[in-house]
Amino acid sequence: MSYPFFIVSFIFYLIASFGYVILLAKDSKLATRTVLTLFIFGLVIHTVGLVMRTIESGHAPFANLYESLLFFAWVIAFEFVCVEIFRPTKSLGIIIAPLTAVCSALAIGLPSRYRVAEPLLPALQSKWLEVHVVTAFLAYASFALAFGTGCLFLLQAHWFRKGKTNGFYSRFQDMESLDTHTYWLIAFGFVLLAVGIITGAVWANVAWGSYWSWDPKETWSLITWLIYAGYLHARLIIGWRGRKAAWVSVFGFLAVLFCYLGVNVLLPGLHSYGSLQK
């Protein structure tokens, strides 16, 4: 029952993605609000789908790769809407809307056997799992948005060096605002990822009798956390800003993607329940 909702939400995300591209050619407050509204419609339908999936499966919707991809897309969409409401940007949607659509497409494109609602494995039957996964995905989504602002900063910096600051190029957020957005998004995600690692350790002790076992997922979570710790240290202590900081936000998100997807697919471990093997 939930699957059609995810298809419809994907369609709205895809339409919004094209809408944000069109906004680069025709910028207006009405058009911007319209595209954001379409994206929010997708988020609302997506939310209904996740609620129905929870009812179908009897547990929170992130127990396998299909569910976690949909949840990841939802969290990215949710955080993006929050940013656009409270700290609006001029151009972040051109990266985040397609990213949300891609995550949704990867999920709904999986073979039907992945969509079968199954009970949780014994190791996953813990409230610590929900706290751990929710905080981790909120952190991942924050880093995804920081990736978007970092990419936009690098584009703006490239165009600025070439003297391209008018017309089409003026439709993007200014570099100072993008740099500030990147910092606050990474700081928010950094704290959440720390909470996710700590609650994950508690859950691991409950499930397997050990707080830390150097499982590939645990190791890469720590590596990812250290990358962003390095970013914050360099910014607050050394005064790093601009292109260097933006590149860290880009490479940091690549580490996030490997931690989330690459480890599950390529490196077997205690988190193999989220892999493509089924």
Side-chain angles (χ1 to χ4, degrees):
M1 292 294 292
S2 60
Y3 186 66
F5 286 87
F6 298 134
I7 295 177
V8 175
S9 65
F10 161 72
I11 293 172
F12 272 100
Y13 293 146
L14 191 62
I15 294 172
S17 298
F18 286 111
Y20 279 111
V21 173
I22 294 173
L23 285 177
L24 297 180
K26 181 180 176 62
D27 187 19
S28 73
K29 290 184 178 180
L30 177 60
T32 300
R33 285 198 297 266
T34 300
V35 175
L36 179 59
T37 300
L38 289 171
F39 189 89
I40 292 174
F41 280 157
L43 175 60
V44 171
I45 296 169
H46 195 158
T47 303
V48 174
L50 287 179
V51 171
M52 294 186 67
R53 178 68 181 186
T54 300
I55 296 172
E56 290 170 358
S57 62
H59 55 73
F62 36 68
N64 55 35
L65 184 61
Y66 169 73
E67 293 177 352
S68 71
L69 279 168
L70 289 169
F71 187 69
F72 187 33
W74 182 88
V75 178
I76 292 174
F78 174 76
E79 287 199 15
F80 171 67
V81 169
C82 290
V83 168
E84 290 302 294
I85 291 174
F86 297 106
R87 293 181 64 90
T89 65
K90 291 175 62 176
S91 48
L92 184 56
I94 198 172
I95 292 179
I96 298 304
L99 179 60
T100 306
V102 167
C103 289
S104 296
L106 289 174
I108 64 180
L110 288 172
S112 59
R113 65 180 184 273
Y114 289 91
R115 302 197 297 267
V116 177
E118 297 177 343
L120 286 173
L121 297 173
L124 304 183
Q125 296 175 7
S126 170
K127 291 298 181 182
W128 285 107
L129 167 70
E130 297 177 8
V131 178
H132 165 63
V133 174
V134 169
T135 52
F137 273 104
L138 284 170
Y140 290 171
S142 187
F143 295 145
L145 267 62
F147 164 79
T149 54
C151 287
L152 291 173
F153 182 96
L154 293 171
L155 282 173
Q156 283 285 69
H158 174 73
W159 292 330
F160 184 79
R161 290 199 304 273
K162 291 182 176 295
K164 299 176 179 179
T165 57
N166 299 319
F168 166 83
Y169 305 99
S170 66
R171 303 193 193 283
F172 290 83
Q173 194 84 359
D174 65 275
M175 287 188 289
E176 183 177 353
S177 295
L178 288 169
D179 186 67
T180 301
H181 272 85
T182 301
Y183 167 68
W184 284 111
L185 287 166
I186 287 179
F188 180 68
F190 177 77
V191 173
L192 287 172
L193 184 58
V195 174
I197 291 174
I198 292 170
T199 54
V202 175
W203 166 43
N205 186 59
V206 172
W208 298 298
S210 173
Y211 286 101
W212 195 271
S213 59
W214 294 105
D215 175 77
K217 177 75 84 173
E218 295 173 348
T219 303
W220 272 96
S221 294
L222 180 60
I223 291 172
T224 302
W225 185 83
L226 289 173
I227 289 173
Y228 288 110
Y231 166 91
L232 293 173
H233 173 81
R235 184 182 181 94
L236 297 174
I237 304 302
I238 305 176
W240 256 25
R241 278 171 173 77
R243 294 179 70 251
K244 291 181 180 179
W247 276 115
V248 175
S249 71
V250 172
F251 287 116
F253 186 61
L254 294 179
V256 167
L257 290 178
F258 186 80
C259 178
Y260 168 46
L261 291 174
V263 169
N264 287 351
V265 174
L266 301 175
L267 303 175
L270 296 174
H271 293 75
S272 59
Y273 58 85
S275 71
L276 286 169
Q277 299 176 0
K278 189 174 177 68

PDB file of all heavy atoms in Angstrom, residues 145-170:
ATOM      1  N   LEU A 145      23.064  18.716   2.730  1.00  0.00           N
ATOM      2  CA  LEU A 145      22.785  20.126   2.447  1.00  0.00           C
ATOM      3  C   LEU A 145      24.077  20.941   2.422  1.00  0.00           C
ATOM      4  O   LEU A 145      24.244  21.843   1.591  1.00  0.00           O
ATOM      5  CB  LEU A 145      21.825  20.695   3.494  1.00  0.00           C
ATOM      6  CG  LEU A 145      20.334  20.639   3.150  1.00  0.00           C
ATOM      7  CD1 LEU A 145      19.854  19.196   2.990  1.00  0.00           C
ATOM      8  CD2 LEU A 145      19.505  21.342   4.222  1.00  0.00           C
ATOM      9  N   ALA A 146      25.010  20.612   3.332  1.00  0.00           N
ATOM     10  CA  ALA A 146      26.300  21.304   3.340  1.00  0.00           C
ATOM     11  C   ALA A 146      27.079  20.996   2.060  1.00  0.00           C
ATOM     12  O   ALA A 146      27.802  21.864   1.537  1.00  0.00           O
ATOM     13  CB  ALA A 146      27.114  20.888   4.562  1.00  0.00           C
ATOM     14  N   PHE A 147      26.939  19.778   1.558  1.00  0.00           N
ATOM     15  CA  PHE A 147      27.531  19.423   0.270  1.00  0.00           C
ATOM     16  C   PHE A 147      26.978  20.328  -0.827  1.00  0.00           C
ATOM     17  O   PHE A 147      27.723  20.835  -1.675  1.00  0.00           O
ATOM     18  CB  PHE A 147      27.222  17.957  -0.040  1.00  0.00           C
ATOM     19  CG  PHE A 147      27.427  17.562  -1.475  1.00  0.00           C
ATOM     20  CD1 PHE A 147      28.695  17.316  -1.961  1.00  0.00           C
ATOM     21  CD2 PHE A 147      26.344  17.415  -2.331  1.00  0.00           C
ATOM     22  CE1 PHE A 147      28.892  16.936  -3.291  1.00  0.00           C
ATOM     23  CE2 PHE A 147      26.522  17.040  -3.647  1.00  0.00           C
ATOM     24  CZ  PHE A 147      27.795  16.808  -4.133  1.00  0.00           C
ATOM     25  N   GLY A 148      25.652  20.545  -0.787  1.00  0.00           N
ATOM     26  CA  GLY A 148      25.033  21.411  -1.784  1.00  0.00           C
ATOM     27  C   GLY A 148      25.541  22.840  -1.709  1.00  0.00           C
ATOM     28  O   GLY A 148      25.905  23.441  -2.734  1.00  0.00           O
ATOM     29  N   THR A 149      25.595  23.410  -0.512  1.00  0.00           N
ATOM     30  CA  THR A 149      26.083  24.782  -0.377  1.00  0.00           C
ATOM     31  C   THR A 149      27.569  24.871  -0.719  1.00  0.00           C
ATOM     32  O   THR A 149      28.028  25.878  -1.275  1.00  0.00           O
ATOM     33  CB  THR A 149      25.841  25.319   1.044  1.00  0.00           C
ATOM     34  OG1 THR A 149      26.421  24.421   2.005  1.00  0.00           O
ATOM     35  CG2 THR A 149      24.351  25.455   1.320  1.00  0.00           C
ATOM     36  N   GLY A 150      28.323  23.812  -0.395  1.00  0.00           N
ATOM     37  CA  GLY A 150      29.743  23.794  -0.738  1.00  0.00           C
ATOM     38  C   GLY A 150      29.954  23.784  -2.247  1.00  0.00           C
ATOM     39  O   GLY A 150      30.809  24.511  -2.778  1.00  0.00           O
ATOM     40  N   CYS A 151      29.169  22.964  -2.965  1.00  0.00           N
ATOM     41  CA  CYS A 151      29.275  22.908  -4.424  1.00  0.00           C
ATOM     42  C   CYS A 151      28.910  24.259  -5.040  1.00  0.00           C
ATOM     43  O   CYS A 151      29.582  24.735  -5.957  1.00  0.00           O
ATOM     44  CB  CYS A 151      28.348  21.822  -4.975  1.00  0.00           C
ATOM     45  SG  CYS A 151      28.901  20.138  -4.690  1.00  0.00           S
ATOM     46  N   LEU A 152      27.849  24.872  -4.517  1.00  0.00           N
ATOM     47  CA  LEU A 152      27.441  26.172  -5.041  1.00  0.00           C
ATOM     48  C   LEU A 152      28.504  27.235  -4.778  1.00  0.00           C
ATOM     49  O   LEU A 152      28.740  28.112  -5.619  1.00  0.00           O
ATOM     50  CB  LEU A 152      26.112  26.586  -4.413  1.00  0.00           C
ATOM     51  CG  LEU A 152      24.898  25.757  -4.836  1.00  0.00           C
ATOM     52  CD1 LEU A 152      23.677  26.152  -4.016  1.00  0.00           C
ATOM     53  CD2 LEU A 152      24.611  25.924  -6.328  1.00  0.00           C
ATOM     54  N   PHE A 153      29.153  27.161  -3.618  1.00  0.00           N
ATOM     55  CA  PHE A 153      30.233  28.105  -3.319  1.00  0.00           C
ATOM     56  C   PHE A 153      31.365  27.950  -4.333  1.00  0.00           C
ATOM     57  O   PHE A 153      31.893  28.954  -4.837  1.00  0.00           O
ATOM     58  CB  PHE A 153      30.768  27.881  -1.909  1.00  0.00           C
ATOM     59  CG  PHE A 153      31.859  28.848  -1.526  1.00  0.00           C
ATOM     60  CD1 PHE A 153      31.552  29.995  -0.809  1.00  0.00           C
ATOM     61  CD2 PHE A 153      33.184  28.630  -1.891  1.00  0.00           C
ATOM     62  CE1 PHE A 153      32.552  30.906  -0.472  1.00  0.00           C
ATOM     63  CE2 PHE A 153      34.181  29.525  -1.571  1.00  0.00           C
ATOM     64  CZ  PHE A 153      33.864  30.669  -0.855  1.00  0.00           C
ATOM     65  N   LEU A 154      31.743  26.726  -4.622  1.00  0.00           N
ATOM     66  CA  LEU A 154      32.834  26.495  -5.565  1.00  0.00           C
ATOM     67  C   LEU A 154      32.475  26.997  -6.957  1.00  0.00           C
ATOM     68  O   LEU A 154      33.329  27.540  -7.668  1.00  0.00           O
ATOM     69  CB  LEU A 154      33.180  25.002  -5.601  1.00  0.00           C
ATOM     70  CG  LEU A 154      33.796  24.447  -4.310  1.00  0.00           C
ATOM     71  CD1 LEU A 154      33.899  22.929  -4.376  1.00  0.00           C
ATOM     72  CD2 LEU A 154      35.168  25.055  -4.065  1.00  0.00           C
ATOM     73  N   LEU A 155      31.218  26.818  -7.354  1.00  0.00           N
ATOM     74  CA  LEU A 155      30.776  27.342  -8.644  1.00  0.00           C
ATOM     75  C   LEU A 155      30.843  28.863  -8.658  1.00  0.00           C
ATOM     76  O   LEU A 155      31.341  29.468  -9.622  1.00  0.00           O
ATOM     77  CB  LEU A 155      29.344  26.889  -8.932  1.00  0.00           C
ATOM     78  CG  LEU A 155      29.154  25.445  -9.411  1.00  0.00           C
ATOM     79  CD1 LEU A 155      27.667  25.098  -9.478  1.00  0.00           C
ATOM     80  CD2 LEU A 155      29.807  25.236 -10.773  1.00  0.00           C
ATOM     81  N   GLN A 156      30.344  29.485  -7.592  1.00  0.00           N
ATOM     82  CA  GLN A 156      30.382  30.942  -7.505  1.00  0.00           C
ATOM     83  C   GLN A 156      31.813  31.473  -7.514  1.00  0.00           C
ATOM     84  O   GLN A 156      32.114  32.489  -8.153  1.00  0.00           O
ATOM     85  CB  GLN A 156      29.661  31.405  -6.234  1.00  0.00           C
ATOM     86  CG  GLN A 156      28.151  31.365  -6.329  1.00  0.00           C
ATOM     87  CD  GLN A 156      27.614  32.511  -7.178  1.00  0.00           C
ATOM     88  OE1 GLN A 156      27.812  32.548  -8.400  1.00  0.00           O
ATOM     89  NE2 GLN A 156      26.922  33.437  -6.555  1.00  0.00           N
ATOM     90  N   ALA A 157      32.694  30.794  -6.788  1.00  0.00           N
ATOM     91  CA  ALA A 157      34.097  31.216  -6.752  1.00  0.00           C
ATOM     92  C   ALA A 157      34.725  31.123  -8.142  1.00  0.00           C
ATOM     93  O   ALA A 157      35.498  32.004  -8.553  1.00  0.00           O
ATOM     94  CB  ALA A 157      34.873  30.365  -5.751  1.00  0.00           C
ATOM     95  N   HIS A 158      34.386  30.067  -8.868  1.00  0.00           N
ATOM     96  CA  HIS A 158      34.914  29.879 -10.226  1.00  0.00           C
ATOM     97  C   HIS A 158      34.421  30.998 -11.147  1.00  0.00           C
ATOM     98  O   HIS A 158      35.205  31.592 -11.905  1.00  0.00           O
ATOM     99  CB  HIS A 158      34.481  28.512 -10.753  1.00  0.00           C
ATOM    100  CG  HIS A 158      34.837  28.276 -12.188  1.00  0.00           C
ATOM    101  ND1 HIS A 158      36.138  28.047 -12.607  1.00  0.00           N
ATOM    102  CD2 HIS A 158      34.072  28.243 -13.312  1.00  0.00           C
ATOM    103  CE1 HIS A 158      36.157  27.875 -13.915  1.00  0.00           C
ATOM    104  NE2 HIS A 158      34.925  27.985 -14.364  1.00  0.00           N
ATOM    105  N   TRP A 159      33.131  31.287 -11.067  1.00  0.00           N
ATOM    106  CA  TRP A 159      32.574  32.338 -11.919  1.00  0.00           C
ATOM    107  C   TRP A 159      33.103  33.714 -11.528  1.00  0.00           C
ATOM    108  O   TRP A 159      33.323  34.570 -12.399  1.00  0.00           O
ATOM    109  CB  TRP A 159      31.044  32.326 -11.832  1.00  0.00           C
ATOM    110  CG  TRP A 159      30.434  31.102 -12.440  1.00  0.00           C
ATOM    111  CD1 TRP A 159      30.926  30.360 -13.479  1.00  0.00           C
ATOM    112  CD2 TRP A 159      29.218  30.466 -12.049  1.00  0.00           C
ATOM    113  NE1 TRP A 159      30.099  29.297 -13.752  1.00  0.00           N
ATOM    114  CE2 TRP A 159      29.037  29.334 -12.902  1.00  0.00           C
ATOM    115  CE3 TRP A 159      28.254  30.725 -11.075  1.00  0.00           C
ATOM    116  CZ2 TRP A 159      27.939  28.493 -12.797  1.00  0.00           C
ATOM    117  CZ3 TRP A 159      27.157  29.893 -10.976  1.00  0.00           C
ATOM    118  CH2 TRP A 159      27.006  28.788 -11.822  1.00  0.00           C
ATOM    119  N   PHE A 160      33.292  33.935 -10.241  1.00  0.00           N
ATOM    120  CA  PHE A 160      33.780  35.234  -9.770  1.00  0.00           C
ATOM    121  C   PHE A 160      35.176  35.509 -10.329  1.00  0.00           C
ATOM    122  O   PHE A 160      35.484  36.634 -10.732  1.00  0.00           O
ATOM    123  CB  PHE A 160      33.805  35.263  -8.247  1.00  0.00           C
ATOM    124  CG  PHE A 160      34.207  36.587  -7.675  1.00  0.00           C
ATOM    125  CD1 PHE A 160      33.291  37.630  -7.596  1.00  0.00           C
ATOM    126  CD2 PHE A 160      35.509  36.804  -7.222  1.00  0.00           C
ATOM    127  CE1 PHE A 160      33.658  38.875  -7.074  1.00  0.00           C
ATOM    128  CE2 PHE A 160      35.880  38.035  -6.705  1.00  0.00           C
ATOM    129  CZ  PHE A 160      34.957  39.071  -6.630  1.00  0.00           C
ATOM    130  N   ARG A 161      36.029  34.470 -10.338  1.00  0.00           N
ATOM    131  CA  ARG A 161      37.388  34.646 -10.874  1.00  0.00           C
ATOM    132  C   ARG A 161      37.354  35.003 -12.363  1.00  0.00           C
ATOM    133  O   ARG A 161      38.264  35.628 -12.874  1.00  0.00           O
ATOM    134  CB  ARG A 161      38.219  33.380 -10.656  1.00  0.00           C
ATOM    135  CG  ARG A 161      38.589  33.119  -9.209  1.00  0.00           C
ATOM    136  CD  ARG A 161      39.760  32.143  -9.099  1.00  0.00           C
ATOM    137  NE  ARG A 161      39.473  30.891  -9.776  1.00  0.00           N
ATOM    138  CZ  ARG A 161      38.849  29.861  -9.219  1.00  0.00           C
ATOM    139  NH1 ARG A 161      38.436  29.955  -7.962  1.00  0.00           N
ATOM    140  NH2 ARG A 161      38.637  28.755  -9.896  1.00  0.00           N
ATOM    141  N   LYS A 162      36.304  34.565 -13.046  1.00  0.00           N
ATOM    142  CA  LYS A 162      36.171  34.860 -14.468  1.00  0.00           C
ATOM    143  C   LYS A 162      35.377  36.149 -14.721  1.00  0.00           C
ATOM    144  O   LYS A 162      35.082  36.493 -15.865  1.00  0.00           O
ATOM    145  CB  LYS A 162      35.492  33.686 -15.182  1.00  0.00           C
ATOM    146  CG  LYS A 162      36.352  32.434 -15.250  1.00  0.00           C
ATOM    147  CD  LYS A 162      35.660  31.333 -16.015  1.00  0.00           C
ATOM    148  CE  LYS A 162      36.556  30.114 -16.176  1.00  0.00           C
ATOM    149  NZ  LYS A 162      37.737  30.402 -17.019  1.00  0.00           N
ATOM    150  N   GLY A 163      35.015  36.838 -13.633  1.00  0.00           N
ATOM    151  CA  GLY A 163      34.297  38.088 -13.769  1.00  0.00           C
ATOM    152  C   GLY A 163      32.833  37.945 -14.122  1.00  0.00           C
ATOM    153  O   GLY A 163      32.200  38.905 -14.581  1.00  0.00           O
ATOM    154  N   LYS A 164      32.268  36.748 -13.905  1.00  0.00           N
ATOM    155  CA  LYS A 164      30.863  36.507 -14.251  1.00  0.00           C
ATOM    156  C   LYS A 164      30.012  36.659 -12.990  1.00  0.00           C
ATOM    157  O   LYS A 164      29.872  35.730 -12.202  1.00  0.00           O
ATOM    158  CB  LYS A 164      30.693  35.106 -14.836  1.00  0.00           C
ATOM    159  CG  LYS A 164      31.493  34.894 -16.124  1.00  0.00           C
ATOM    160  CD  LYS A 164      31.367  33.461 -16.624  1.00  0.00           C
ATOM    161  CE  LYS A 164      32.144  33.262 -17.916  1.00  0.00           C
ATOM    162  NZ  LYS A 164      32.057  31.856 -18.407  1.00  0.00           N
ATOM    163  N   THR A 165      29.451  37.839 -12.832  1.00  0.00           N
ATOM    164  CA  THR A 165      28.683  38.123 -11.610  1.00  0.00           C
ATOM    165  C   THR A 165      27.296  38.684 -11.887  1.00  0.00           C
ATOM    166  O   THR A 165      26.517  38.878 -10.956  1.00  0.00           O
ATOM    167  CB  THR A 165      29.445  39.136 -10.735  1.00  0.00           C
ATOM    168  OG1 THR A 165      29.682  40.322 -11.504  1.00  0.00           O
ATOM    169  CG2 THR A 165      30.778  38.563 -10.261  1.00  0.00           C
ATOM    170  N   ASN A 166      26.970  38.917 -13.145  1.00  0.00           N
ATOM    171  CA  ASN A 166      25.678  39.524 -13.477  1.00  0.00           C
ATOM    172  C   ASN A 166      24.765  38.529 -14.186  1.00  0.00           C
ATOM    173  O   ASN A 166      25.179  37.429 -14.571  1.00  0.00           O
ATOM    174  CB  ASN A 166      25.885  40.760 -14.369  1.00  0.00           C
ATOM    175  CG  ASN A 166      26.717  41.822 -13.691  1.00  0.00           C
ATOM    176  OD1 ASN A 166      26.542  42.082 -12.502  1.00  0.00           O
ATOM    177  ND2 ASN A 166      27.623  42.438 -14.436  1.00  0.00           N
ATOM    178  N   GLY A 167      23.523  38.922 -14.369  1.00  0.00           N
ATOM    179  CA  GLY A 167      22.569  38.108 -15.120  1.00  0.00           C
ATOM    180  C   GLY A 167      22.330  36.755 -14.486  1.00  0.00           C
ATOM    181  O   GLY A 167      21.959  36.641 -13.314  1.00  0.00           O
ATOM    182  N   PHE A 168      22.544  35.720 -15.270  1.00  0.00           N
ATOM    183  CA  PHE A 168      22.337  34.344 -14.823  1.00  0.00           C
ATOM    184  C   PHE A 168      23.084  34.045 -13.536  1.00  0.00           C
ATOM    185  O   PHE A 168      22.548  33.412 -12.618  1.00  0.00           O
ATOM    186  CB  PHE A 168      22.785  33.383 -15.936  1.00  0.00           C
ATOM    187  CG  PHE A 168      22.947  31.962 -15.502  1.00  0.00           C
ATOM    188  CD1 PHE A 168      21.857  31.124 -15.426  1.00  0.00           C
ATOM    189  CD2 PHE A 168      24.198  31.456 -15.171  1.00  0.00           C
ATOM    190  CE1 PHE A 168      21.996  29.798 -15.028  1.00  0.00           C
ATOM    191  CE2 PHE A 168      24.349  30.138 -14.772  1.00  0.00           C
ATOM    192  CZ  PHE A 168      23.245  29.310 -14.711  1.00  0.00           C
ATOM    193  N   TYR A 169      24.307  34.517 -13.429  1.00  0.00           N
ATOM    194  CA  TYR A 169      25.160  34.188 -12.291  1.00  0.00           C
ATOM    195  C   TYR A 169      24.692  34.850 -11.000  1.00  0.00           C
ATOM    196  O   TYR A 169      24.998  34.378  -9.903  1.00  0.00           O
ATOM    197  CB  TYR A 169      26.607  34.580 -12.598  1.00  0.00           C
ATOM    198  CG  TYR A 169      27.118  33.956 -13.876  1.00  0.00           C
ATOM    199  CD1 TYR A 169      27.137  34.683 -15.068  1.00  0.00           C
ATOM    200  CD2 TYR A 169      27.531  32.632 -13.891  1.00  0.00           C
ATOM    201  CE1 TYR A 169      27.582  34.098 -16.247  1.00  0.00           C
ATOM    202  CE2 TYR A 169      27.980  32.046 -15.075  1.00  0.00           C
ATOM    203  CZ  TYR A 169      27.997  32.780 -16.242  1.00  0.00           C
ATOM    204  OH  TYR A 169      28.415  32.192 -17.402  1.00  0.00           O
ATOM    205  N   SER A 170      23.948  35.939 -11.118  1.00  0.00           N
ATOM    206  CA  SER A 170      23.449  36.622  -9.924  1.00  0.00           C
ATOM    207  C   SER A 170      22.271  35.890  -9.293  1.00  0.00           C
ATOM    208  O   SER A 170      21.824  36.247  -8.202  1.00  0.00           O
ATOM    209  CB  SER A 170      23.025  38.049 -10.279  1.00  0.00           C
ATOM    210  OG  SER A 170      21.912  38.044 -11.160  1.00  0.00           O
TER     211      SER A 170
END
